């Protein structure tokens, strides 16, 4: 990606987004950046614009350049009149950058008088003035102390809400954070999010069904859920508005303390609205990446006598396309080839390599698909020659219908799982060979097994089994346990069962699955 493409992609975003080098030079900026601060444009220097100590910016840039995930920060930039403009920002190294040196992709959110932090500052200032006045009257000292303690607890709850929302990426996570903390902040009996899903997440095509975004933790006003709302439920509703768009409302059921103060309720509503808006943008970017990934994966041919199912899902925190692929090849009436793999990394370069690998493999299989070790050697030579520096794990299998034999090669890839009709399963733990790409002339060794009647073969990428701080063997053991739950299922249901065998888990990487069952 180049600065021009970056500007085109970020043109419609409502908040400033800039691309800057390690020395603070701005390489690209979207229109919202120059609208906020006119000097925040291509060619300018952040160091010349920052009003704070330059050491603060230097520290931020150092942290952002070292991180591939967004890290928070705060900056005060000078506008054309020399006045300071406060920004909350999130920055990270732009891993897609192909130019010289490392660069930072920086998202900025302007803090104005309506921002939650400004409201909190006014409340703290008002409290301090009240404390000074009340301390002059000894008769009111005890009452003053109680008021101060209550205000501090209130601010602490506000900070807890802020922290919970800041760590929430998806709409479900934001709704869960609101349900967990907002009622205590408002001294309410309960709160409910009522959101317009179609305003939050633009449809990718006309008539697209967005019910997949619905969640029991919030009420979707665009899916008919509002029809079940009582007309007089005794709840107060504050509009959730961000960037000039009404995203929904926060319904508050007052508790024993009565209705919250109007200013306090507005501040909480603004804070939640900003988090909901960010989550909607994240959901949109996540769906765009998923749609692009699916468009790159091949359409598999129908093969008589072979039941085939595929599944794909992006990682929980991924808004970038990845390099996972699967494919199926018909060599002749008796022999069928299968492949699955994963180009290391995420982003457009890896997705482009994946698409070219799919095309290259189809040509290789035509020539030598009946020799799995040769197929992998050819793929290794192709990747090393034409995509130097890229690496992929891969697995290629050749199934012979007549002999019911399965010959396979694993190039640094997790072992396929053979699933019997009674729910028992076994991993194809044949010879292990190195990944393709980094080692020219690497040798690849074949394994062979015979499939029993009704036995299926599951191919998958490592995102299905990898978890943070967990041995890989634990993930492999979970798959064998899942196989026992799939007795009697057709290949499509069984494939979905494996894809979602941990519905509440956070998946670190994409999941691509190919399941075949000879008839």
């Amino acid at each position: 990606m180049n600065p021009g493409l970056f500007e085109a992609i970020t043109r419609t975003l409502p908040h400033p987004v800039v691309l800057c080098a390690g020395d603070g030079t701005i390489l690209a900026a979207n229109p919202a950046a120059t609208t906020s601060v006119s000097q925040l444009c291509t060619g300018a220097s952040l160091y010349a614009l920052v009003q704070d100590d330059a050491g603060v910016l230097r520290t931020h840039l150092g942290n952002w350049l070292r991180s591939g995930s967004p890290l928070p920060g705060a900056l005060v930039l000078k506008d054309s009149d020399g006045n300071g403009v406060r920004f909350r920002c999130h920055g990270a190294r732009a891993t897609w950058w192909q130019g010289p040196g490392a660069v930072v992709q920086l998202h900025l959110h302007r803090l104005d008088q309506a921002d939650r932090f400004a409201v909190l500052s006014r409340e703290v200032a008002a409290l301090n003035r009240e404390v000074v006045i009340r301390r002059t009257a000894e008769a009111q000292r005890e009452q003053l102390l109680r008021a101060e303690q209550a205000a501090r607890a209130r601010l602490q709850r506000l900070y807890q809400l802020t922290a919970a929302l800041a760590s929430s990426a998806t709409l479900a996570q934001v709704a869960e954070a609101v349900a967990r903390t907002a009622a205590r902040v408002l001294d309410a009996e309960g709160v409910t999010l009522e959101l317009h899903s179609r305003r939050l997440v633009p449809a990718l095509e006309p008539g697209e069904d967005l019910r997949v975004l619905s969640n029991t933790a919030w009420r979707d006003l665009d899916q008919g859920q509002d029809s079940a709302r009582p007309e007089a439920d005794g709840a107060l509703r504050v509009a959730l508005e961000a960037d000039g768009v009404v995203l929904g409302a926060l319904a508050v059921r007052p508790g024993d303390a009565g209705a919250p103060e109007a200013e306090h309720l507005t501040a909480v509503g603004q804070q939640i609205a900003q988090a909901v808006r960010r989550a909607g943008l994240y959901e949109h970017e996540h769906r765009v990446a998923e749609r692009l990934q699916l468009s790159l994966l091949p359409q598999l041919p129908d093969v008589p006598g072979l039941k085939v199912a595929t599944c794909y899902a992006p990682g929980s925190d991924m808004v970038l396309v990845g390099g996972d692929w699967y494919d199926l090849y018909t060599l002749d009436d008796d022999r069928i080839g299968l492949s699955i793999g994963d180009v290391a990394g995420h982003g457009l370069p890896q997705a482009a390599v994946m698409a070219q690998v799919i095309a290259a493999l189809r040509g290789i299989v035509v020539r030598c698909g009946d020799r799995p070790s040769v197929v992998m050697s050819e793929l290794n030579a192709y990747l090393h020659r034409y995509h130097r520096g890229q690496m992929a794990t891969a697995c290629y299998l050749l199934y012979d219908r007549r002999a019911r034999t399965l010959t396979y090669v694993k190039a640094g890839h997790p072992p396929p799982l053979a699933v019997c009709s009674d729910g028992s399963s076994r991993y194809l733990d044949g010879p292990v060979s190195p990944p393709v790409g980094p080692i020219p002339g690497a040798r690849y060794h074949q394994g062979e097994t015979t499939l029993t009647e009704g036995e299926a073969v599951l191919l998958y990428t490592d995102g299905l089994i990898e978890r943070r701080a967990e041995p890989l063997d634990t993930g492999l053991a979970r798959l064998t346990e899942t196989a026992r739950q799939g007795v009697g299922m057709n290949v499509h249901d069984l494939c979905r069962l494996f894809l979602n065998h941990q519905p509440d888990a956070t998946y670190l990487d994409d999941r691509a699955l190919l399941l075949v069952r000879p008839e």
Side-chain angles (χ1 to χ4, degrees):
M1 186 185 293
N2 54 42
L5 183 55
F6 169 85
E7 291 178 346
I9 292 175
T10 59
R11 181 180 300 278
T12 59
L13 293 181
H15 63 276
V17 185
V18 299
L19 194 67
C20 64
D23 61 358
T25 301
I26 297 175
L27 304 178
N30 70 342
T34 53
T35 301
S36 296
V37 175
S38 58
Q39 300 93 327
L40 199 61
C41 58
T42 303
S45 172
L46 279 179
Y47 282 102
L49 296 176
V50 72
Q51 190 178 61
D52 297 331
D53 182 0
V56 174
L57 176 59
R58 188 176 299 107
T59 300
H60 281 332
L61 283 176
N63 292 336
W64 292 333
L65 284 170
R66 288 190 294 270
S67 174
S69 301
L71 295 177
L75 293 174
V76 180
L77 305 180
K78 294 179 289 189
D79 61 14
S80 57
D81 297 327
N83 299 318
V85 181
R86 298 173 59 236
F87 290 90
R88 180 179 68 256
C89 47
H90 286 79
R93 184 180 70 256
T95 55
W96 47 262
W97 175 253
Q98 297 177 314
V103 300
V104 170
Q105 180 172 305
L106 184 60
H107 293 248
L108 301 103
H109 298 270
R110 182 167 178 166
L111 304 179
D112 54 26
Q113 292 300 312
D115 187 83
R116 57 183 180 273
F117 297 106
V119 173
L120 291 179
S121 298
R122 293 200 302 270
E123 290 185 359
V124 172
L127 173 62
N128 289 337
R129 289 194 299 270
E130 184 181 44
V131 168
V132 171
I133 294 173
R134 293 196 178 199
R135 281 182 176 173
T136 62
E138 291 296 331
Q140 300 179 356
R141 180 177 297 275
E142 184 176 349
Q143 180 182 358
L144 171 62
L145 291 176
R146 287 197 301 267
E148 183 179 1
Q149 291 171 355
R152 288 184 181 277
R154 179 179 177 181
L155 288 175
Q156 182 61 37
R157 292 194 294 270
L158 274 173
Y159 291 139
Q160 291 172 354
L161 174 63
T162 300
L165 293 176
S167 62
S168 301
T170 66
L171 286 172
Q173 291 169 348
V174 169
E176 194 278 331
V178 170
R180 188 177 68 251
T181 61
R184 293 185 65 247
V185 171
L186 297 170
D187 292 323
E189 178 185 338
V191 297
T192 303
L193 271 179
E194 301 172 349
L195 303 176
H196 292 283
S197 61
R198 297 189 182 279
R199 299 178 190 176
L200 281 168
V201 186
L204 298 179
E205 58 187 27
E208 182 179 11
D209 189 354
L210 295 177
R211 281 179 295 181
V212 68
L213 295 175
S214 298
N215 188 286
T216 55
W218 56 279
R219 179 177 291 129
D220 192 342
L221 301 178
D222 293 336
Q223 299 296 340
Q225 296 183 22
D226 57 330
S227 61
R229 186 180 70 198
E231 292 298 327
D233 56 4
L236 302 173
R237 284 179 170 80
V238 57
L240 301 179
E241 181 177 350
D243 302 323
V245 179
V246 177
L247 306 174
L250 179 69
V252 180
R253 298 184 298 279
D256 296 337
E261 297 174 4
E263 183 181 22
H264 186 47
L265 181 59
T266 300
V268 172
Q270 290 171 346
Q271 192 170 356
I272 294 173
Q274 291 296 328
V276 167
R277 179 62 170 168
R278 290 196 305 271
L281 292 173
Y282 172 88
E283 298 277 9
H284 179 62
E285 293 173 359
H286 196 270
R287 291 169 62 248
V288 168
E290 182 178 8
R291 183 68 61 88
L292 176 57
Q293 182 77 44
L294 290 173
S295 70
L296 293 174
L297 292 172
Q299 294 295 319
L300 303 187
D302 292 329
V303 180
L306 188 70
K307 297 295 185 181
V308 180
T310 61
C311 288
Y312 169 81
S316 302
D317 299 326
M318 293 295 176
V319 293
L320 297 173
V321 288
D324 293 23
W325 87 84
Y326 49 72
D327 208 349
L328 184 148
Y329 323 89
T330 303
L331 279 66
D332 52 41
D333 290 342
D334 294 325
R335 294 176 299 178
I336 299 165
L338 306 165
S339 76
I340 194 162
D342 182 7
V343 177
H346 282 83
L348 290 175
Q350 286 71 28
V353 171
M354 177 265 285
Q356 294 178 56
V357 164
I358 292 173
L361 262 175
R362 289 186 167 184
I364 293 171
V365 170
V366 168
R367 291 185 287 105
C368 50
D370 58 344
R371 292 167 291 168
S373 60
V374 177
V375 169
M376 207 57 67
S377 295
E378 292 273 346
L379 180 60
N380 179 61
Y382 167 80
L383 204 61
H384 183 75
R385 174 175 296 178
Y386 296 106
H387 299 284
R388 189 67 60 87
Q390 295 284 357
M391 183 187 77
T393 66
C395 188
Y396 177 78
L397 305 89
L398 175 68
Y399 177 64
D400 189 311
R401 296 174 189 260
R402 289 181 180 272
R404 301 190 67 85
T405 58
L406 192 66
T407 309
Y408 58 93
V409 173
K410 298 180 299 179
H413 202 78
L417 181 67
V419 182
C420 299
S421 57
D422 62 359
S424 61
S425 59
R426 58 192 174 95
Y427 283 104
L428 304 186
D429 289 324
V432 177
S433 302
V436 292
I439 306 174
R443 300 188 64 182
Y444 295 90
H445 305 284
Q446 299 180 170
E448 185 173 308
T449 189
T450 300
L451 297 183
T452 60
E453 185 74 22
E455 196 168 16
V457 177
L458 173 69
L459 308 180
Y460 55 93
T461 53
D462 56 6
L464 186 67
I465 55 176
E466 287 185 344
R467 301 290 181 274
R468 287 191 178 95
E470 179 182 272
L472 198 60
D473 288 345
T474 302
L476 293 171
R478 271 197 304 268
L479 287 192
T480 59
E481 179 61 32
T482 302
R484 297 188 184 96
Q485 304 170 19
V487 176
M489 288 186 177
N490 61 44
V491 291
H492 300 285
D493 290 340
L494 186 58
C495 193
R496 286 191 291 269
L497 175 66
F498 280 113
L499 178 72
N500 301 303
H501 71 285
Q502 275 193 297
D504 298 326
T506 298
Y507 291 93
L508 306 180
D509 203 352
D510 299 349
R511 292 163 284 158
L513 289 78
L514 172 60
L515 182 68
V516 297
R517 177 185 287 160
E519 293 182 324

PDB file of all heavy atoms in Angstrom, residues 241-255:
ATOM      1  N   GLU A 241     -25.536   9.901  20.452  1.00  0.00           N
ATOM      2  CA  GLU A 241     -25.208  10.578  19.198  1.00  0.00           C
ATOM      3  C   GLU A 241     -23.706  10.754  19.087  1.00  0.00           C
ATOM      4  O   GLU A 241     -23.036  11.165  20.028  1.00  0.00           O
ATOM      5  CB  GLU A 241     -25.913  11.933  19.130  1.00  0.00           C
ATOM      6  CG  GLU A 241     -25.644  12.689  17.836  1.00  0.00           C
ATOM      7  CD  GLU A 241     -26.414  14.000  17.762  1.00  0.00           C
ATOM      8  OE1 GLU A 241     -27.293  14.217  18.619  1.00  0.00           O
ATOM      9  OE2 GLU A 241     -26.120  14.807  16.861  1.00  0.00           O
ATOM     10  N   ALA A 242     -23.164  10.422  17.905  1.00  0.00           N
ATOM     11  CA  ALA A 242     -21.736  10.601  17.640  1.00  0.00           C
ATOM     12  C   ALA A 242     -21.562  10.990  16.183  1.00  0.00           C
ATOM     13  O   ALA A 242     -22.216  10.422  15.301  1.00  0.00           O
ATOM     14  CB  ALA A 242     -20.959   9.315  17.946  1.00  0.00           C
ATOM     15  N   ASP A 243     -20.717  11.978  15.941  1.00  0.00           N
ATOM     16  CA  ASP A 243     -20.446  12.464  14.582  1.00  0.00           C
ATOM     17  C   ASP A 243     -21.729  12.882  13.872  1.00  0.00           C
ATOM     18  O   ASP A 243     -21.891  12.680  12.660  1.00  0.00           O
ATOM     19  CB  ASP A 243     -19.723  11.392  13.756  1.00  0.00           C
ATOM     20  CG  ASP A 243     -18.411  10.966  14.395  1.00  0.00           C
ATOM     21  OD1 ASP A 243     -17.734  11.832  14.954  1.00  0.00           O
ATOM     22  OD2 ASP A 243     -18.088   9.772  14.339  1.00  0.00           O
ATOM     23  N   GLY A 244     -22.675  13.438  14.640  1.00  0.00           N
ATOM     24  CA  GLY A 244     -23.909  13.929  14.057  1.00  0.00           C
ATOM     25  C   GLY A 244     -24.930  12.867  13.727  1.00  0.00           C
ATOM     26  O   GLY A 244     -25.955  13.149  13.101  1.00  0.00           O
ATOM     27  N   VAL A 245     -24.698  11.620  14.114  1.00  0.00           N
ATOM     28  CA  VAL A 245     -25.613  10.518  13.815  1.00  0.00           C
ATOM     29  C   VAL A 245     -26.188   9.970  15.120  1.00  0.00           C
ATOM     30  O   VAL A 245     -25.434   9.667  16.054  1.00  0.00           O
ATOM     31  CB  VAL A 245     -24.886   9.381  13.057  1.00  0.00           C
ATOM     32  CG1 VAL A 245     -25.846   8.229  12.781  1.00  0.00           C
ATOM     33  CG2 VAL A 245     -24.281   9.898  11.767  1.00  0.00           C
ATOM     34  N   VAL A 246     -27.512   9.860  15.191  1.00  0.00           N
ATOM     35  CA  VAL A 246     -28.157   9.266  16.362  1.00  0.00           C
ATOM     36  C   VAL A 246     -28.080   7.743  16.206  1.00  0.00           C
ATOM     37  O   VAL A 246     -28.714   7.162  15.326  1.00  0.00           O
ATOM     38  CB  VAL A 246     -29.617   9.727  16.497  1.00  0.00           C
ATOM     39  CG1 VAL A 246     -30.278   9.023  17.675  1.00  0.00           C
ATOM     40  CG2 VAL A 246     -29.675  11.236  16.680  1.00  0.00           C
ATOM     41  N   LEU A 247     -27.285   7.108  17.047  1.00  0.00           N
ATOM     42  CA  LEU A 247     -27.030   5.677  16.943  1.00  0.00           C
ATOM     43  C   LEU A 247     -28.034   4.837  17.709  1.00  0.00           C
ATOM     44  O   LEU A 247     -28.096   3.628  17.526  1.00  0.00           O
ATOM     45  CB  LEU A 247     -25.618   5.369  17.465  1.00  0.00           C
ATOM     46  CG  LEU A 247     -24.487   6.168  16.815  1.00  0.00           C
ATOM     47  CD1 LEU A 247     -23.177   5.885  17.521  1.00  0.00           C
ATOM     48  CD2 LEU A 247     -24.386   5.826  15.337  1.00  0.00           C
ATOM     49  N   GLY A 248     -28.797   5.468  18.578  1.00  0.00           N
ATOM     50  CA  GLY A 248     -29.763   4.743  19.392  1.00  0.00           C
ATOM     51  C   GLY A 248     -29.993   5.490  20.689  1.00  0.00           C
ATOM     52  O   GLY A 248     -29.961   6.728  20.723  1.00  0.00           O
ATOM     53  N   ALA A 249     -30.224   4.756  21.757  1.00  0.00           N
ATOM     54  CA  ALA A 249     -30.505   5.378  23.052  1.00  0.00           C
ATOM     55  C   ALA A 249     -30.019   4.472  24.168  1.00  0.00           C
ATOM     56  O   ALA A 249     -29.858   3.258  23.987  1.00  0.00           O
ATOM     57  CB  ALA A 249     -31.999   5.655  23.203  1.00  0.00           C
ATOM     58  N   LEU A 250     -29.799   5.083  25.327  1.00  0.00           N
ATOM     59  CA  LEU A 250     -29.491   4.353  26.549  1.00  0.00           C
ATOM     60  C   LEU A 250     -30.721   4.448  27.442  1.00  0.00           C
ATOM     61  O   LEU A 250     -31.095   5.541  27.875  1.00  0.00           O
ATOM     62  CB  LEU A 250     -28.270   4.938  27.255  1.00  0.00           C
ATOM     63  CG  LEU A 250     -27.876   4.263  28.574  1.00  0.00           C
ATOM     64  CD1 LEU A 250     -27.352   2.853  28.296  1.00  0.00           C
ATOM     65  CD2 LEU A 250     -26.829   5.080  29.318  1.00  0.00           C
ATOM     66  N   ALA A 251     -31.379   3.319  27.682  1.00  0.00           N
ATOM     67  CA  ALA A 251     -32.557   3.282  28.539  1.00  0.00           C
ATOM     68  C   ALA A 251     -32.116   3.018  29.973  1.00  0.00           C
ATOM     69  O   ALA A 251     -31.445   2.018  30.249  1.00  0.00           O
ATOM     70  CB  ALA A 251     -33.518   2.193  28.074  1.00  0.00           C
ATOM     71  N   VAL A 252     -32.474   3.932  30.889  1.00  0.00           N
ATOM     72  CA  VAL A 252     -32.042   3.864  32.284  1.00  0.00           C
ATOM     73  C   VAL A 252     -33.268   3.687  33.175  1.00  0.00           C
ATOM     74  O   VAL A 252     -34.205   4.502  33.130  1.00  0.00           O
ATOM     75  CB  VAL A 252     -31.280   5.151  32.681  1.00  0.00           C
ATOM     76  CG1 VAL A 252     -30.830   5.058  34.137  1.00  0.00           C
ATOM     77  CG2 VAL A 252     -30.100   5.384  31.752  1.00  0.00           C
ATOM     78  N   ARG A 253     -33.259   2.616  33.950  1.00  0.00           N
ATOM     79  CA  ARG A 253     -34.327   2.380  34.921  1.00  0.00           C
ATOM     80  C   ARG A 253     -33.852   2.889  36.282  1.00  0.00           C
ATOM     81  O   ARG A 253     -32.960   2.287  36.890  1.00  0.00           O
ATOM     82  CB  ARG A 253     -34.676   0.897  34.982  1.00  0.00           C
ATOM     83  CG  ARG A 253     -35.196   0.341  33.671  1.00  0.00           C
ATOM     84  CD  ARG A 253     -35.622  -1.118  33.788  1.00  0.00           C
ATOM     85  NE  ARG A 253     -34.496  -1.978  34.143  1.00  0.00           N
ATOM     86  CZ  ARG A 253     -33.600  -2.433  33.271  1.00  0.00           C
ATOM     87  NH1 ARG A 253     -33.670  -2.080  31.985  1.00  0.00           N
ATOM     88  NH2 ARG A 253     -32.625  -3.221  33.665  1.00  0.00           N
ATOM     89  N   PRO A 254     -34.420   4.022  36.768  1.00  0.00           N
ATOM     90  CA  PRO A 254     -33.923   4.632  38.014  1.00  0.00           C
ATOM     91  C   PRO A 254     -34.051   3.673  39.192  1.00  0.00           C
ATOM     92  O   PRO A 254     -34.979   2.868  39.280  1.00  0.00           O
ATOM     93  CB  PRO A 254     -34.822   5.860  38.198  1.00  0.00           C
ATOM     94  CG  PRO A 254     -35.345   6.155  36.825  1.00  0.00           C
ATOM     95  CD  PRO A 254     -35.488   4.819  36.152  1.00  0.00           C
ATOM     96  N   GLY A 255     -33.074   3.787  40.114  1.00  0.00           N
ATOM     97  CA  GLY A 255     -33.093   2.985  41.321  1.00  0.00           C
ATOM     98  C   GLY A 255     -33.675   3.752  42.484  1.00  0.00           C
ATOM     99  O   GLY A 255     -34.405   4.734  42.306  1.00  0.00           O
TER     100      GLY A 255
END
